[in-house]
Amino acid sequence: MALKTPEEFETSLRTRSPKVFMNGKRVESIFENPNTRTVLESNKASYRWALDPEYSKIMTCHSPLVNDTVNRYTHVSSSVEDLVAKAEAGTFTAENLGTCIYRCAGYDAFHSLAATTWEMDRDLGTKYHHRFLDYLKMVQIEDLSVAGALTEPRGHRMKRAIDWPDPYLALKVIEKNSKGIVVRGAKINISGAYACHELVVLPQGTRTEEEADYALAFAVPSDADGITYVCQYSPYSAERDLAEDLHELGNPVFGQRETAMVVFDNVFVPWERVFHCGETPYSWNLVSRFARTHRMTCGGTCKVGFMNQIIGACKLIQEYKGLELVPHINEELTEMIVLRETGRACGLAAARLGTEDPVGSGVFLPDELMGNVSKLNIGNAFWRVMALAGDIGGGLIVTMPSLKELKNPETKRYVEEFFSFGSDSPTEDILKTHKLLQNWTAGQHGVGTWHGAGPVMAQKIMIERIADFEHEKNLVRKLLNLKGTS
Ligand SMILES: Cc1cc2nc3c(=O)[nH]c(=O)nc-3n(C[C@H](O)[C@H](O)[C@H](O)COP(=O)(O)OP(=O)(O)OC[C@H]3O[C@@H](n4cnc5c(N)ncnc54)[C@H](O)[C@@H]3O)c2cc1C
């Protein structure tokens, strides 16, 4: 069986040496740094669950490609059932981690690459699909974690890449030779790549022939020569850096959603790992198929799991405060459930209505309309859930003292007395639950949820593009026996 143990995963990552910077300093070891360590812990959990009889059905599946059991996060969906299982895995991982499973964007990129390399070979006679399948086989057999990188720094948004004074604000091929290609540029906001084995790279906005040098998709090891990671750093990162005990933090083990800018400074990619190079009309298909898959994931699956953590904390706080019978709190909890279920329904609908795309490729993708609707819906719903949680949690969410006070003999008894709400629960539990809500409502998750998988306007544009009003117009024509051609 091609499944690594969590320990084997960590050991295998130790053979890589990515060049990582955070807070102005080189990160000597991603295993020791308290912030980069969270990414490792999240991915590690995906290996643990795959081998746990209780969760293996969620986290693994049979791969016809290697005729073996593989981690679900390395599998390309070939049926509606696969898409539904994918959606359920997204919720499961998110509700248990409270952050990203960093294999997710790579998993979604595999779907786009499988479909579009097949399409390019069919239309253009290229040899990308087999190349990609060989790569995917290696990923499955070696049970690799793979990050997905699409977003680019970009220049003036109203101009095309070829008109930007700096041509490298999108990833660009600068050399092609008999062995492969050399690329220069960067990808930004990339989730957890330094603690994955590999990175799959998709193009972002290439449209015209002149932009052919930007029409690129490939895979590279996370520590390939020329790759540098410049990590995000926030007050939450500083807090983790300063923590004496992880249990002082809102999400002790798995932390925030960690991203980095990934710089490609003349990175060589051998042809065996190049899956798209110059075929500009197909760049958009790679982007839109990734978006279609990733929007179901981010909209209708992982945020459902995140909401479960928020709802759980609110319910506990309601009980700590003795507010169980208060109508408006119960209404707020009900509203959260409705928002969560609307998100879940959109995600499951996107999976259930999924189709083979392109027909004949064997690749199943979520329904495009529902995938976009699920992301658009959750962008707004998540802010609302955070607002409701803020009401139930009270000011303490942002005014609470450090959990360190519980270890300070001078303040311990005051904190225990005055933050107990007179309940039987330990004050430590009460503070930890508030700290979890601080992590959700007063941190990075609102903006992160809005922009991850694209901001709401991107979904609106897509929905407008897909919407076909013929069915609706015909209903009215038929009902009223309209004679006109409009
Ligand atoms: C937590 C997190 C994790 C992420 N992980 C990944 C990852 O793993 N891999 C990956 O590839 N990406 C990842 N992303 C990137 C994500 O997909 C982008 O943040 C998102 O697409 C928005 O792009 P941006 O951040 O550059 O915002 P912008 O594009 O700058 O958006 C800001 C505003 O400008 C508007 N705007 C931008 N361009 C135009 C235009 N041309 N016309 C009109 N309006 C415009 C937008 O609609 C929005 O209102 C992640 C993002 C976050 C927040």
Side-chain angles (χ1 to χ4, degrees), residues 105 148-151 154 157-158 189-191 259 448 451-455 457:
L150 180 144
T151 310
R154 289 159 285 166
R157 300 294 171 87
M158 295 300 134
N189 306 345
I190 306 307
S191 298
T259 68
H451 280 292
M457 189 47 72

Side-chain angles (χ1 to χ4, degrees), residues 100 102 104-106 147-159 187-193 199-200 202 204 232 256-260 290 294-295 298 303 375 444-459 461:
C100 287
Y102 295 97
C104 144
L150 180 144
T151 310
E152 296 176 331
R154 289 159 285 166
H156 192 294
R157 300 294 171 87
M158 295 300 134
K159 292 183 183 164
K187 296 282 179 180
I188 56 167
N189 306 345
I190 306 307
S191 298
L199 261 154
V200 284
L202 298 181
Q204 181 157 39
Q232 69 181 50
Q256 298 296 313
R257 281 187 264 164
E258 293 292 336
T259 68
F290 173 74
H294 203 48
R295 285 180 186 159
C298 287
K303 302 311 173 299
K375 175 66 199 10
Q444 300 168 198
H445 289 287
V447 175
T449 294
W450 188 265
H451 280 292
V456 157
M457 189 47 72
Q459 286 103 63
I461 291 169

Side-chain angles (χ1 to χ4, degrees), residues 3 29 50 53 67 79 99 203 210 228 279 315 317 351 356 375 417 427 429 441 443 465 483:
L3 295 173
S29 163
N67 192 25
S79 64
T99 186
E210 303 106 289
T228 300
E279 302 81 4
K315 188 70 194 157
I317 289 174
E356 189 185 33
K375 175 66 199 10
E417 181 178 357
T427 306
D429 288 4
T441 64
R465 221 175 255 174
K483 303 282 187 291

Side-chain angles (χ1 to χ4, degrees), residues 206-251:
T206 311
R207 295 290 167 85
T208 62
E209 285 284 310
E210 303 106 289
E211 293 169 314
D213 286 348
Y214 297 101
L216 283 174
F218 58 85
V220 278
S222 55
D223 63 344
D225 274 354
I227 290 187
T228 300
Y229 299 88
V230 183
C231 297
Q232 69 181 50
Y233 200 76
S234 70
Y236 280 91
S237 324
E239 186 189 36
R240 184 169 289 268
D241 271 342
L242 294 172
E244 287 158 15
D245 174 353
L246 288 185
H247 292 281
E248 293 161 17
L249 303 173
N251 187 350

Side-chain angles (χ1 to χ4, degrees), residues 140-196:
Q140 293 188 343
I141 290 168
E142 296 185 22
D143 197 8
L144 301 181
S145 282
V146 181
L150 180 144
T151 310
E152 296 176 331
R154 289 159 285 166
H156 192 294
R157 300 294 171 87
M158 295 300 134
K159 292 183 183 164
R160 293 177 313 161
I162 47 165
D163 298 324
W164 295 333
D166 179 349
Y168 303 114
L169 292 176
L171 195 66
K172 188 173 192 278
V173 65
I174 55 169
E175 189 189 324
K176 287 184 199 173
N177 57 44
S178 61
K179 294 201 172 117
I181 61 175
V182 178
V183 298
R184 186 170 196 283
K187 296 282 179 180
I188 56 167
N189 306 345
I190 306 307
S191 298
Y194 48 74
C196 289

